[in-house]
Amino acid sequence: MKGRGSQGALQLLGPASRTSIMRLMAYPQGTAGSIMTTEFVQVPQDWTVARTLEHIRATEHEHETVYAIYAVDGRQHLQFVVSLRELVCAGSQLALTSLRRRPAIACGPYADREEVARIIRRHNFLALPVVGEDQRMVGIVTVDDVIDALMEEAQEDIGRFGGGGEHMGAPYCCRRRGRGWSSAAGVQ
């Protein structure tokens, strides 16, 4: 979204949306910051399961997706992540801290999107928190945000394998043979 048209389009948005988009546009293309969403559920780590669920219900229209809940301390530093499934299955009076399984895994806003994709794939995440240098949440990158990066990476790998190091573009005619895949080029 560059040039004169982008400025006009931005003026059509409300102040909150305009500020959010301007913040995202400040990050270099291909980074976590450029593909993240700033709509996520962040709550104090000392809340109960019941209070967290009430908060999600009350603010559901403000969040694009709710895969996980991001628990922060009093200084807004990310402490841990609780999946929506864990939250829904937990007793309502339990403290969120009792659901903490491990320290949060996060990336910075300048992390390369392919690295973000590798982290999401390695840990089987639906979303990865993005934190600034001060460890405060600035957004999340969802798995669908990085599918494009994964597809581009896979196409480059296929291109290197089948094309002697050159990128071929879209994958070409593949068929299943035996236990593996072979291409129409005759790899058996």
Side-chain angles (χ1 to χ4, degrees):
M1 202 169 168
K2 303 266 188 232
R4 275 185 297 176
S6 65
Q7 292 304 316
L10 285 172
Q11 296 308 315
L12 297 174
L13 299 172
S17 295
R18 185 173 36 251
T19 300
S20 180
I21 289 173
M22 298 280 291
R23 194 175 315 128
L24 294 175
M25 289 174 62
Y27 292 109
Q29 183 111 10
T31 62
S34 71
I35 60 173
M36 71 183 176
T37 180
T38 56
E39 299 171 0
F40 55 91
V41 179
Q42 173 179 302
V43 300
Q45 68 179 347
D46 61 355
W47 278 13
T48 64
V49 167
R51 186 167 182 193
T52 303
L53 288 170
E54 288 170 18
H55 174 73
I56 292 169
R57 287 184 196 108
T59 62
E60 61 88 18
H61 63 281
E62 298 173 16
H63 310 291
E64 179 183 329
T65 58
V66 182
Y67 296 131
I69 292 73
Y70 303 92
V72 297
D73 64 16
R75 295 178 305 182
Q76 305 301 305
H77 295 161
L78 178 62
Q79 297 300 302
F80 59 95
V81 180
V82 177
S83 74
L84 185 60
R85 180 176 188 213
E86 289 173 309
L87 189 71
V88 170
C89 293
S92 63
Q93 296 310 309
L94 281 176
L96 279 182
T97 53
S98 69
L99 302 178
R100 181 181 189 154
R101 301 286 178 250
R102 63 175 182 236
I105 296 171
C107 70
Y110 294 99
D112 181 77
R113 71 178 182 173
E114 290 181 357
E115 177 59 24
V116 172
R118 282 190 282 278
I119 294 168
I120 287 175
R121 183 174 41 202
R122 183 179 321 124
H123 296 283
N124 202 27
F125 288 161
L126 294 175
L128 179 67
V130 180
V131 297
E133 288 181 21
D134 59 1
Q135 295 304 302
R136 293 179 184 199
M137 293 271 309
V138 294
I140 61 171
V141 177
T142 63
V143 68
D144 56 316
D145 292 331
V146 295
I147 285 176
D148 288 339
L150 292 172
M151 293 302 292
E152 287 175 21
E153 193 176 354
Q155 286 179 350
E156 288 172 9
D157 291 347
I158 290 169
R160 279 197 250 353
F161 172 72
E166 290 185 31
H167 178 53
M168 300 181 316
Y172 59 97
C173 185
C174 292
R175 65 175 186 258
R176 185 153 172 82
R177 179 175 277 188
R179 290 188 184 152
W181 288 89
S182 62
S183 72
V187 178
Q188 303 277 331

